[in-house]
Amino acid sequence: MSEDRRRPRLAALIPGSVAGQIALLIVAAIVVTHALATLAFFTLREPWRPDEHPGVAATRLSTLARLLDGAAPAERDALLANASRMLPTLHLEPWAGAGAHETAPVDHTIVQRVRDGFARPLAITDLSSSDGAGETQGGIHIGIVTPNGARLSAHLPDDDRPPIRQGAIVVTFLFLAVALSLISLWATRALTAPLARLAEAAEAFGTRMNLVALPENGPQEVIAVSRALDRMRARVRRLIDDRTQMLAAISHDLRTPITRLRLRAEFIEDDHARTMTLRDLDQMNGLVEAALSFVRDGRQGEGAAATLIDLGSVVQTVCDGFADVGADVRVEDTRHVLVQGRPEELQRALMNLVDNAVKYGGAARVTMSASERGIAVEVCDDGPGIPEGECDAMLQPFVRGDRARNLDTASGFGLGLSIVLAVVEAHEGRFVLSNRTPHGLCARIDLPLAAARLASPRAAPPTARIPSAAA
């Protein structure tokens, strides 16, 4: 219970806004940096009392040795006496050199520091074993002879520790920089994770109308945008539902009068008038059905379950259906690959493309090939194509290639390509229209693969392959 109570209190201390959390992150990084730097300083620093530090004593002794070496022989005793009063911890005394050992502890750390501080050859003798003073005072007793003949003895505190290397300091601060960088990256990712989820939800809703869960925690700005996006999604879906219901009601209300008009048209005595009236009624009924199909195909992609589909079989089925009724439709290259989606929708999209190719180009050539996204299906014809600059406009509902056409000369309503685009986007693919050289149109569908491995291409008739249109 106590931990559960602490968590809300801790959350209350964290700022709710993005600016506040970024400021807290920067301040926390600075505080942690200073804390670790201070800890490293106190760990690696020298003691506050320099008189007890072996390195300080060795430096002072080497300085005194230089002064005695440069002074006149008559002044050395007075200079050594004054130094002994000022530096009592060194126990400085004149040394005659009689009875001393001739070996010097050259490898001792403190002795090496004295030699380094003197900066010239210096004779140093170990006196600790001769008088035992080093053991009673907890250090080493040495005798020094300078190049100019100055002699003195001193006690130095014993320190076997090696001097601090710069590598340790570099490694310490390098570890500090890496640790702070990793902590900052983790905190930044935790701060931006709600934004990434929000962008994913917006992208999914904008392309497939899927309802991806919106982030419910994070900074105040993210929560506000998340709630606004949720309200916007509800309004858009309500608008789509209203449009669907409106078109369904129009279809239901128009079918009855259209049926009555067809019955009445059958009693028209003039054959030409009767034919024209029945054709107009058929076009009216077709327009209603096409509009309903467009809305229905857009709605089915939201909740229908996706399955594994052999795309090559779907392409072959569509082409065989047109060939059975006498249309000039050929499959020039096909592949048995698996895609994930809804077979009825993909079949309808391919039927629309092949139907347009046969209607406006007289024939259709279907080719399947590998692409960067996975698999590409191209439906090409030798028709007049689409005027440059109008390929994107042709994907909009109720837009046809020839703007001068009317319902008396064309049976289409400009919804076929819009349905194809809706189906392809619902399957996370891409749909592109491009003109061929010297004439003709190529409609290309790129779909992602459900399996990574492609099957071997099926044998195709010995015909020349049509070049792929640029995606």
Side-chain angles (χ1 to χ4, degrees):
M1 294 296 294
S2 60
E3 294 182 358
D4 295 338
R5 293 178 180 177
R6 290 175 183 174
R7 290 178 182 176
R9 295 178 182 176
L10 181 61
L13 298 177
I14 300 177
S17 63
V18 176
Q21 292 185 8
I22 293 177
L24 177 62
L25 176 62
I26 295 175
V27 172
I30 294 175
V31 171
V32 172
T33 303
H34 280 280
L36 295 179
T38 303
L39 179 62
F41 171 76
F42 279 102
T43 302
L44 301 176
R45 74 175 180 85
E46 295 183 352
W48 289 111
R49 301 178 62 182
D51 292 340
E52 298 180 358
H53 194 273
V56 175
T59 301
R60 290 176 176 177
L61 183 58
S62 61
T63 302
L64 177 61
R66 288 199 303 269
L67 292 175
L68 292 175
D69 186 67
E75 299 176 353
R76 290 173 180 172
D77 293 338
L79 182 60
L80 183 60
N82 293 332
S84 178
R85 290 193 299 269
M86 297 177 62
L87 303 174
T89 57
L90 295 179
H91 302 280
L92 300 172
E93 295 179 355
W95 177 54
H101 296 281
E102 296 180 357
T103 59
V106 179
D107 57 344
H108 200 284
T109 304
I110 298 303
V111 174
Q112 189 61 38
R113 289 189 180 186
V114 174
R115 284 197 174 95
D116 294 340
F118 191 78
R120 285 187 296 167
L122 190 65
I124 300 179
T125 305
D126 185 10
L127 305 179
S128 301
S129 59
S130 63
D131 55 9
E135 299 178 0
T136 59
Q137 298 183 6
I140 58 175
H141 188 197
I142 60 175
I144 299 177
V145 180
T146 65
N148 290 332
R151 296 172 177 265
L152 74 154
S153 65
H155 287 84
L156 289 175
D158 194 2
D159 186 12
D160 294 333
R161 295 175 300 174
I164 299 176
R165 299 180 179 179
Q166 294 182 353
I169 300 177
V170 172
V171 170
T172 300
F173 281 96
L174 181 62
F175 172 78
L176 175 63
V178 172
L180 287 177
S181 299
L182 293 177
I183 294 174
S184 300
L185 288 176
W186 172 80
T188 303
R189 288 179 63 88
L191 183 61
T192 56
L195 292 175
R197 292 197 301 270
L198 184 63
E200 180 184 0
E203 181 67 22
F205 182 74
T207 56
R208 302 181 298 277
M209 299 295 289
N210 293 335
L211 290 181
V212 178
L214 294 171
E216 298 179 356
N217 53 7
Q220 294 177 352
E221 293 86 350
V222 175
I223 295 177
V225 175
S226 177
R227 292 173 179 173
L229 179 60
D230 192 30
R231 292 191 296 268
M232 183 196 71
R233 293 197 310 186
R235 290 194 298 267
V236 171
R237 292 181 67 86
R238 187 165 55 250
L239 178 62
I240 294 175
D241 292 337
D242 293 342
R243 184 187 66 172
T244 304
Q245 294 176 4
M246 179 187 66
L247 289 176
I250 293 175
S251 174
H252 180 271
D253 294 341
L254 286 179
R255 282 175 180 174
T256 301
I258 289 176
T259 303
R260 290 199 301 263
L261 289 174
R262 288 183 62 88
L263 293 176
R264 295 173 183 174
E266 295 293 341
F267 295 98
I268 298 177
E269 297 180 357
D270 189 348
D271 294 338
H272 178 72
R274 183 175 60 254
T275 302
M276 297 299 293
T277 303
L278 291 176
R279 192 192 67 173
D280 292 340
L281 292 174
D282 290 338
Q283 289 179 344
M284 291 175 60
N285 188 65
L287 177 60
V288 173
E289 293 295 337
L292 282 175
S293 298
F294 172 71
V295 176
R296 183 174 59 250
D297 290 336
R299 295 282 293 174
Q300 285 178 351
E302 301 177 23
T307 59
L308 290 179
I309 306 169
D310 184 358
L311 187 60
S313 298
V314 175
V315 171
Q316 190 67 47
T317 300
V318 172
C319 295
D320 290 343
F322 279 90
D324 291 342
V325 296
D328 186 4
V329 177
R330 284 192 298 171
V331 180
E332 299 196 345
D333 192 6
T334 184
R335 297 168 182 259
H336 287 286
V337 295
L338 293 179
V339 297
Q340 193 170 11
R342 291 162 288 276
E344 297 82 4
E345 296 182 14
L346 290 176
Q347 186 171 352
R348 181 178 179 83
L350 291 173
M351 288 179 62
N352 288 349
L353 294 180
V354 175
D355 182 65
N356 284 344
V358 173
K359 184 185 300 182
Y360 299 109
R365 301 294 177 262
V366 182
T367 304
M368 295 181 63
S369 61
S371 66
E372 296 180 357
R373 288 176 173 261
I375 188 68
V377 181
E378 296 177 348
V379 180
C380 302
D381 60 61
D382 295 328
I386 298 176
E388 294 295 335
E390 294 189 7
C391 290
D392 293 337
M394 289 295 299
L395 302 180
Q396 301 300 320
F398 303 104
V399 176
R400 289 176 293 178
D402 187 358
R403 302 302 176 88
R405 292 177 187 166
N406 52 47
L407 293 179
D408 295 333
T409 59
S411 59
F413 304 104
L415 290 174
L417 296 180
S418 301
I419 294 175
V420 175
L421 179 62
V423 170
V424 172
E425 288 184 347
H427 288 75
E428 300 182 8
R430 183 175 60 179
F431 179 45
V432 178
L433 295 176
S434 59
N435 288 312
R436 301 175 59 205
T437 302
H439 55 79
L441 181 68
C442 187
R444 179 186 177 102
I445 296 177
D446 283 323
L447 295 175
L449 290 176
R453 187 178 65 178
L454 295 176
S456 300
R458 193 175 64 178
T463 56
R465 178 166 181 167
I466 300 176
S468 300

